[in-house]
Amino acid sequence: MSPPPPPLPSLNVPPLIGISAVSTKEDSCRLTISPSTLVVRFGDPVTANCSLHGMGFPVLGWVGLLVTPEPTMNSFQVWSEDSMTEWSLKPMCFALSETGGRCDIVLTLIVYKPPENVSVSFVNHTGPMFEGHQYTLQCTVQDVAPVENLTVTFYRGQTALERLQSNSSNTKKTPVTEIFTLDISASKEHDGVQYWCEAELQLGPEGPPYPPVVRSQNISAAVYFGPQFVCPTKLHVREGESLGCEVRGNPQPLVTWLRAGQVVAPPAHSSREHAGKYTVLAKGHHGQINFTVEVEVLADSGTANSCKRHFLLAVLFIQTINWL
């Protein structure tokens, strides 16, 4: 009959100090945790397995958990929780030797929560913007954890403007609200575009296959600019064509035509008498500007009249054939 096994060492050992590798005090003790890094969403279930590789360590256990399981004499022990409801757990697996020595290893645990809400706005500004002025976009990310893994990207339409990493000195693991800002310069090309931002938790290869991303609403930008003339200094029109000069601006500028100091209406059907110099006044949000244009009215090429004569002759010819 084999002798009874030696009694287990007392578990009233000094506090275990977690390290990320096996303690060098017991070289024959090799502990591994699978997975070595555990990323879990707050409220989800969690499972990890601690295994002992080596002889002379009859006791294996876990500490630093929501509920501490009883130590085991097996070569492995599984820790599991139905719902992760703590933010700052530091799970540690330990092994005790027959002589009272110990070794331990810490499980890297990241508990995360996607943002509750993401919103974008302009700082201290409402209404239209003005070309050439600077404005500040603000992206507010509410109730996210861990904030150190948070990245925010600002967009203009589908163009990414800037990608910002949280530089918060807050080391809390619980959800916090983080604010990001970006300075932009208003341009007429951006009149009517949509600005927005998105927040992403970058949780590494051990995290979910698709990182949690939350997008804000869109805000439209109205940019006031102008007036601006898009017109040559010499304008050539043919007889019968309308006379005009493009003036751009937002809001649409008020345009006045002058000839010899008198207000005139640009002709809808130009003739030789409309040739000469005109002054075009444009009044917009940024003031009034004027532009001088010299109009030359070219003689009609006669192509249209020729085509009309040929058409009439063809119709007359067809009718003559029908009469025969």
Side-chain angles (χ1 to χ4, degrees):
M1 184 175 182
S2 60
L8 292 177
S10 172
L11 298 183
N12 295 322
V13 295
L16 299 172
I17 301 176
I19 54 177
S20 58
V22 177
S23 170
T24 56
K25 293 181 181 179
E26 298 287 348
D27 293 334
S28 59
C29 174
R30 299 192 308 276
L31 292 173
T32 59
I33 297 179
S34 179
S36 58
T37 299
L38 188 57
V39 180
V40 59
R41 182 169 179 156
F42 185 81
D44 283 358
V46 60
T47 299
N49 178 49
C50 180
S51 300
L52 173 65
H53 311 275
M55 303 297 293
F57 292 84
V59 178
L60 186 66
W62 285 88
V63 292
L65 310 178
L66 291 173
V67 178
T68 302
E70 289 293 328
T72 180
M73 295 184 65
N74 294 326
S75 60
F76 70 92
Q77 188 175 46
V78 176
W79 163 57
S80 64
E81 300 285 353
D82 294 333
S83 177
M84 176 51 63
T85 57
E86 291 290 335
W87 298 99
S88 303
L89 287 184
K90 294 183 179 179
M92 182 196 306
C93 178
F94 68 91
L96 299 179
S97 70
E98 297 170 346
T99 59
R102 72 171 186 272
C103 64
D104 52 66
I105 186 172
V106 173
L107 169 63
T108 301
L109 176 64
I110 299 174
V111 183
Y112 73 91
K113 176 185 177 296
E116 189 70 27
N117 184 61
V118 177
S119 61
V120 67
S121 61
F122 285 103
V123 177
N124 300 325
H125 176 78
T126 57
M129 301 186 292
F130 302 99
E131 185 178 30
H133 290 211
Q134 287 239 329
Y135 300 89
T136 300
L137 277 171
Q138 175 176 290
C139 186
T140 303
V141 185
Q142 296 179 335
D143 295 329
V144 60
V147 69
E148 63 191 46
N149 295 76
L150 179 63
T151 298
V152 159
T153 306
F154 286 90
Y155 288 88
R156 179 192 293 125
Q158 296 304 311
T159 302
L161 299 178
E162 192 81 23
R163 188 178 180 88
L164 303 176
Q165 182 77 35
S166 172
N167 57 1
S168 175
S169 58
N170 193 339
T171 58
K172 292 175 61 177
K173 301 300 182 181
T174 54
V176 298
T177 294
E178 183 87 345
I179 296 176
F180 299 77
T181 59
L182 177 68
D183 292 332
I184 62 170
S185 180
S187 170
K188 63 179 179 292
E189 287 80 11
H190 305 145
D191 181 42
V193 301
Q194 304 279 318
Y195 288 94
W196 53 284
C197 65
E198 69 177 11
E200 177 182 336
L201 278 176
Q202 297 183 326
L203 300 169
E206 297 85 4
Y210 299 100
V213 176
V214 180
R215 174 175 171 163
S216 75
Q217 84 286 11
N218 293 347
I219 56 173
S220 296
V223 181
Y224 280 1
F225 65 93
Q228 297 174 344
F229 286 103
V230 187
C231 192
T233 55
K234 278 199 171 185
L235 189 60
H236 300 281
V237 295
R238 292 193 175 276
E239 287 182 314
E241 294 180 345
S242 62
L243 178 60
C245 184
E246 184 180 1
V247 182
R248 296 175 182 174
N250 184 28
Q252 184 63 38
L254 176 65
V255 180
T256 304
W257 286 68
L258 300 175
R259 187 178 187 186
Q262 300 297 316
V263 176
V264 296
H269 302 283
S270 301
S271 62
R272 293 295 183 91
E273 65 184 22
H274 295 126
K277 287 188 177 181
Y278 292 81
T279 299
V280 186
L281 302 179
K283 186 176 182 180
H285 195 275
H286 289 296
Q288 179 175 291
I289 61 174
N290 60 72
F291 182 77
T292 300
V293 58
E294 184 174 349
V295 176
E296 182 179 353
V297 180
L298 305 177
D300 189 1
S301 63
T303 303
N305 292 333
S306 177
C307 290
K308 184 182 294 185
R309 287 196 300 271
H310 282 87
F311 175 75
L312 292 175
L313 288 173
V315 171
L316 182 60
F317 178 73
I318 293 172
Q319 290 179 344
T320 302
I321 292 177
N322 290 335
W323 291 337
L324 296 176

